Amino acid sequence: MIEVNSISKSYGKVKALQDVSFSVDRGEVFGLIGPDGAGKTTMFRILSTLLLADEGTATVDGFDVVKQMRDIRRRVGYMPGRFSLYQDLTVEENLTFFATLFGTTVEEGYDAIKAIYSQIERFKDRKAGALSGGMKQKLALSCALVHQPSVLFLDEPTTGVDPVSRKEFWEMLSMLKERGITIVASTPYLDEVRQCERVAFLSEGRVMGIDTPEVILDRFKDIFNPPPLKAHPIPSKPPRGEAVISVSHLVKAFDDFHAVDDISFSVKRGEIFGFLGANGAGKTTAMHMLTGLNQPTSGTGRVAGFDIRTEHEQIKKHIGYMSQRFSLYEDLTVAENIRLFAGIYGMENEEIKTKTDDLLRQLKFEAHKNDLVGSLPLGWKQKLAFSVSIFHDPAIVFLDEPTGGVDPATRRQFWELIYDAAARGITVFVTTHYMDEAEYCDRISIMVDGKISAMGTPEELKQSLQQPDMDHVFTYLARQAKRGD
């Protein structure tokens, strides 16, 4: 179905792909895996006829990607790394747009998408930007399938999606395979890598190996399965047991809908607190109230000693924040970004200069201080964004899915930075969809339907719910949700 022969592609001095060759059988589920910056997205764009290679040839379903791109575009569906939907269009308008783009209609292609689209069709008048991650995923897949393609290219389609929705997505892919559709997917999740029949491991633009997932994951285990982090002690002083976040009966309602429905908890100084929940459970809404971005409907809360209702401007000065959407300026250099945010935090010039040199040395970024942030691999960007968010030594740093789409080795390095911050007494309040990261937290709360359904250490939750690991704990609780997306 797919033949790739000696493909190379460079962006200036950067060699994104170097002499890459592989083939994919008809009806196969094939994985393209590797660390950030390995060349996976460039390969997808070449095969989807969105980018021309510098050297080499490739065919999809027997058609040349250069000479017969029109034929290929009728036969492929493509989900890029970031959701490909138009946020201001409704569910139905997005689907209609993509059908029209491929010269068909929703009615003509409905049978091809019925099993997936029927799960979200009742929300057809809702804007795509208002959908949860799981619903966006189903809509994007429906849009990619509406013209009945024979090949489906999926570039990290489940990044930012909770574990239960990810499982449902791969169940949908199994159904598509049974219909004979060839699927090529990239993913940073090891459980999804194992769903592929074969995988090609890319690193620095080269194919390092092609084999079954088991063989590749074992052969390159240093990259895909780095040793776990050792638990860190929670600082006990100064002062002992101080709560830096305290919330009581917090509610956020939008008309009759309670996004956050009467939650209470506290977090200690230097603690790594995991704030988990399925897409749409209310995590981000709660975090927005704690960071002063949104006002509660009722209830009380204090963050770093300040009232979340009346002192939100003070809160913003004493916290760090890193959103799930990358939060630095891509058209500024590394050094310019550091200086900009340090200035916003009110730091003095001499302190900025000294701490910038220290940070660049710690991140091993000295040679890249004048590189545009937009040119950096995702994992580098994430580590830089985190480091900038705590550059001013805040009392608390809020991290909203900070490692989404990042490979396992880079995620481990990121968590080493988190441990270092916690050891300095910075409280880390983190949301994540990686359940191995949940194991690194001191305590965890899991939200279901706007409420905190469970709270405790990872070991306490596993024992009380009689589950073998945090993935099973999360799935057990999330499947009890009653309100729809």
Side-chain angles (χ1 to χ4, degrees):
M1 179 57 86
I2 298 169
E3 282 281 354
V4 175
N5 296 301
S6 302
I7 287 285
S8 294
K9 177 67 180 179
S10 296
Y11 303 101
K13 296 179 181 179
V14 178
K15 294 181 179 180
L17 294 172
Q18 302 182 63
D19 196 28
V20 172
S21 299
F22 63 88
S23 63
V24 181
D25 295 333
R26 189 175 299 275
E28 186 176 16
V29 179
F30 187 86
L32 276 181
I33 62 173
D36 304 307
K40 303 184 295 294
T41 295
T42 297
M43 191 75 253
F44 277 116
R45 292 176 65 80
I46 289 171
L47 293 176
S48 301
T49 74
L50 299 174
L51 191 66
L52 291 175
D54 297 333
E55 299 175 26
T57 61
T59 60
V60 176
D61 205 2
F63 297 95
D64 186 274
V65 296
V66 177
K67 299 173 184 175
Q68 298 167 299
M69 62 173 62
R70 290 184 180 274
D71 296 290
I72 289 176
R73 289 177 181 178
R74 286 195 290 268
R75 287 167 171 78
V76 304
Y78 178 45
M79 278 180 67
R82 296 177 181 270
F83 282 123
S84 53
L85 306 172
Y86 291 91
Q87 305 296 309
D88 291 333
L89 297 183
T90 66
V91 168
E92 188 174 46
E93 287 168 344
N94 266 283
L95 191 59
T96 301
F97 171 79
F98 280 93
T100 305
L101 201 63
F102 289 108
T104 186
T105 64
V106 175
E107 289 72 28
E108 281 184 68
Y110 190 79
D111 286 346
I113 63 171
K114 181 179 179 181
I116 300 164
Y117 184 60
S118 61
Q119 300 177 42
I120 58 171
E121 193 168 9
R122 67 185 186 277
F123 304 109
K124 65 181 182 180
D125 295 324
R126 184 181 294 185
K127 287 188 177 182
L131 300 176
S132 71
M135 289 174 69
K136 284 181 179 177
Q137 187 188 51
K138 291 170 185 173
L139 176 57
L141 186 56
S142 297
C143 291
L145 291 169
V146 71
H147 62 298
Q148 302 178 60
S150 55
V151 183
L152 194 56
F153 293 116
L154 308 172
D155 189 2
E156 298 190 1
T158 57
T159 295
V161 178
D162 69 79
V164 173
S165 295
R166 289 200 297 107
K167 290 183 177 73
E168 292 174 351
F169 184 84
W170 278 84
E171 287 168 4
M172 291 187 281
L173 295 187
S174 296
M175 178 183 65
L176 296 176
K177 173 182 164 53
E178 290 175 8
R179 284 167 36 191
I181 295 177
T182 303
I183 298 168
V184 182
S186 67
T187 176
Y189 295 99
L190 299 190
D191 58 325
E192 295 183 357
V193 171
R194 294 186 178 96
Q195 301 263 13
C196 301
E197 292 161 88
R198 288 187 305 139
V199 295
F201 171 48
L202 289 173
S203 181
E204 297 181 345
R206 296 183 181 276
V207 174
M208 309 305 290
I210 301 175
D211 214 312
T212 63
E214 290 74 19
V215 170
I216 294 295
L217 292 178
D218 181 65
R219 184 175 162 194
F220 300 100
K221 57 189 174 187
D222 290 347
I223 295 170
F224 292 105
N225 193 24
L229 291 170
K230 295 179 181 178
H232 85 288
I234 305 173
S236 58
K237 61 180 183 179
R240 192 177 191 86
E242 175 193 10
V244 292
I245 300 175
S246 179
V247 169
S248 180
H249 301 293
L250 203 62
V251 173
K252 181 62 180 180
F254 299 95
D255 296 324
D256 293 333
F257 178 73
H258 284 204
V260 175
D261 192 7
D262 193 19
I263 64 172
S264 300
F265 63 91
S266 63
V267 183
K268 295 179 181 178
R269 183 177 187 274
E271 188 174 16
I272 300 175
F273 188 79
F275 201 57
L276 310 186
N279 295 112
K283 306 184 304 298
T284 300
T285 301
M287 190 179 283
H288 283 174
M289 287 188 282
L290 296 177
T291 54
L293 297 175
N294 215 329
Q295 289 292 293
T297 304
S298 62
T300 60
R302 299 189 75 82
V303 172
F306 300 101
D307 191 299
I308 63 172
R309 283 182 167 278
T310 60
E311 299 176 294
H312 32 86
E313 290 306 318
Q314 284 295 321
I315 288 173
K316 291 174 186 176
K317 294 177 183 177
H318 290 81
I319 64 170
Y321 180 72
M322 180 179 165
S323 72
Q324 62 194 100
R325 291 184 175 86
F326 182 61
S327 51
L328 299 181
Y329 289 92
E330 303 221 338
D331 54 353
L332 296 182
T333 66
V334 170
E336 287 169 342
N337 265 284
I338 296 172
R339 179 167 187 80
L340 171 66
F341 282 93
I344 291 172
Y345 295 138
M347 296 173 64
E348 298 294 332
N349 286 339
E350 196 58 39
E351 185 185 13
I352 292 173
K353 185 179 184 308
T354 303
K355 292 193 70 172
T356 297
D357 292 340
D358 291 343
L359 176 58
L360 292 172
R361 200 162 38 248
Q362 179 191 5
L363 295 177
K364 297 182 173 63
F365 275 20
E366 296 104 319
H368 302 281
K369 65 181 291 185
N370 295 318
D371 290 0
L372 291 178
V373 164
S375 70
L376 301 178
L378 176 62
W380 291 27
K381 292 179 183 178
Q382 302 292 63
K383 287 188 284 188
L384 178 61
F386 173 70
S387 299
V388 168
S389 73
I390 62 169
F391 196 69
H392 58 306
D393 289 321
I396 306 155
V397 62
F398 290 89
L399 307 176
D400 192 0
E401 295 177 30
T403 55
V406 179
D407 65 85
T410 305
R411 288 198 293 112
R412 189 188 188 281
Q413 293 168 12
F414 189 94
W415 274 83
E416 287 173 349
L417 295 177
I418 289 178
Y419 271 25
D420 288 345
R424 286 160 45 193
I426 296 175
T427 299
V428 181
F429 189 99
V430 58
T431 72
T432 179
H433 287 319
Y434 291 97
M435 291 302 105
D436 60 325
E437 293 185 352
E439 302 273 5
Y440 295 153
C441 297
D442 300 309
R443 281 192 305 140
I444 293 164
S445 78
I446 300 179
M447 287 189 73
V448 178
D449 291 347
K451 298 178 180 292
I452 292 178
S453 183
M455 188 183 301
T457 67
E459 283 305 315
E460 287 170 349
L461 293 178
K462 286 183 283 189
Q463 289 178 15
S464 65
L465 297 173
Q466 298 182 315
Q467 300 295 328
D469 53 39
M470 283 306 302
D471 186 65
H472 283 80
V473 167
F474 183 95
T475 301
Y476 173 79
L477 292 172
R479 291 199 185 279
Q480 296 177 13
K482 293 183 173 60
R483 73 187 189 192
D485 283 311

